[in-house]
Amino acid sequence: MKENTIILPTTYFGNIEYFSALSKFNNILIEAHEHYEKQTSRNRCYIVTANGPLILTVPVNHSNTLKTKTKDVTIDYSKNWQKQHFRAIESGYRRSPYYEYYIDDLMFVFEKKEKYLLDLNQKILHELCELVKLKINIETTNVYNEISKNQDDLLTNYHNTKNSKTKPYLQTFSSKHDFFPNMSIIDLLFNMGSDYKQFL
């Protein structure tokens, strides 16, 4: 393994802690050979809406998920989840200061159909790293590499946001709600724009 490398699970629009971890390393290995874990941000993210945090889940074909490697999990397009996700993001962030600045770069998520979840997540990850100007080498694993369970929980499970070190920033609905830590990185981007760096 190369020096200054971290092994991370794949995520759909990863959270702020995830990108904070990325920013500390030169090389990122995305674990592709683990048994796929349901109900984590491998296929979900959390955004802030007028009603509070909202989970967005990419549906996967369930026949894939029992002891199936993450790299082999396919996306279920039987329902138009892409349209639902875009509408939710638009509703949550269209009034945020930087929504118009970034949304066009992310439209491929809602307009193109990737077969594999890992491929979708990798394209999102590469694009987000471009947007937040993280110059890192990203590859997927060739064999299974164990991910630290504590690290995995914090990076991929919303129930651990109470342990998040995310510094508060102004969110779209701050007048209605207290600060929600460790949302998807897009919450930080749409609200803070180029000032995101001080929060990673």
Side-chain angles (χ1 to χ4, degrees):
M1 186 183 301
K2 297 178 182 177
E3 290 186 6
N4 200 235
T5 297
I6 188 173
I7 302 170
L8 295 172
T10 187
T11 66
Y12 176 65
F13 283 120
N15 61 32
I16 295 170
E17 292 281 0
Y18 190 91
F19 278 83
S20 180
L22 290 180
S23 69
K24 296 175 174 64
F25 292 85
N26 296 326
N27 302 291
I28 311 300
L29 279 176
I30 301 300
E31 177 46 58
H33 291 262
E34 63 173 355
H35 287 159
Y36 178 74
E37 290 190 34
K38 300 178 182 178
Q39 299 183 350
T40 69
S41 64
R42 287 164 178 80
N43 71 320
R44 60 172 60 177
C45 70
Y46 296 85
I47 64 171
V48 178
T49 71
N51 296 318
L54 175 69
I55 181 173
L56 301 180
T57 302
V58 178
V60 298
N61 291 303
H62 293 292
S63 60
N64 296 150
T65 59
L66 185 61
K67 292 187 177 181
T68 299
K69 292 181 179 180
T70 294
K71 71 181 184 67
D72 297 323
V73 172
T74 57
I75 299 173
D76 180 2
Y77 288 97
S78 61
K79 294 182 180 179
N80 196 349
W81 64 268
Q82 291 170 297
K83 185 176 182 180
Q84 294 170 359
H85 286 203
F86 174 70
R87 285 183 172 177
I89 291 171
E90 182 182 46
S91 177
Y93 296 105
R94 64 188 171 202
R95 293 184 179 88
S96 63
Y98 298 95
Y99 174 79
E100 295 293 339
Y101 186 83
Y102 291 111
I103 190 59
D104 287 348
D105 294 309
L106 301 173
M107 286 305 297
F108 70 92
V109 179
F110 316 110
E111 295 175 345
K112 298 180 180 180
K113 293 185 176 181
E114 296 290 338
K115 179 178 180 180
Y116 293 100
L117 177 66
L118 182 62
D119 290 342
L120 172 64
N121 287 351
Q122 288 296 92
K123 289 185 177 181
I124 292 172
L125 178 59
H126 280 277
E127 183 61 39
L128 288 172
C129 284
E130 286 285 328
L131 294 180
V132 300
K133 296 179 173 57
L134 288 180
K135 296 182 179 180
I136 51 181
N137 179 48
I138 304 172
E139 299 178 7
T140 55
T141 58
N142 294 319
V143 295
Y144 174 68
N145 292 265
E146 187 173 2
I147 302 168
S148 165
K149 186 60 179 174
N150 291 336
Q151 183 180 70
D152 192 10
D153 280 350
L154 181 61
L155 298 179
T156 63
N157 292 303
Y158 174 69
H159 65 77
N160 271 317
T161 57
K162 64 182 180 181
N163 297 321
S164 173
K165 298 178 182 177
T166 306
K167 294 187 293 185
Y169 54 88
L170 189 64
Q171 293 175 318
T172 307
F173 300 99
S174 294
S175 61
K176 294 184 61 176
H177 304 290
D178 292 334
F179 177 71
F180 298 110
N182 206 24
M183 295 291 99
S184 167
I185 189 69
I186 63 174
D187 184 78
L188 181 59
L189 274 179
F190 290 150
N191 284 303
M192 300 306 296
S194 60
D195 288 338
Y196 68 85
K197 291 182 180 179
Q198 62 182 300
F199 299 95
L200 291 182

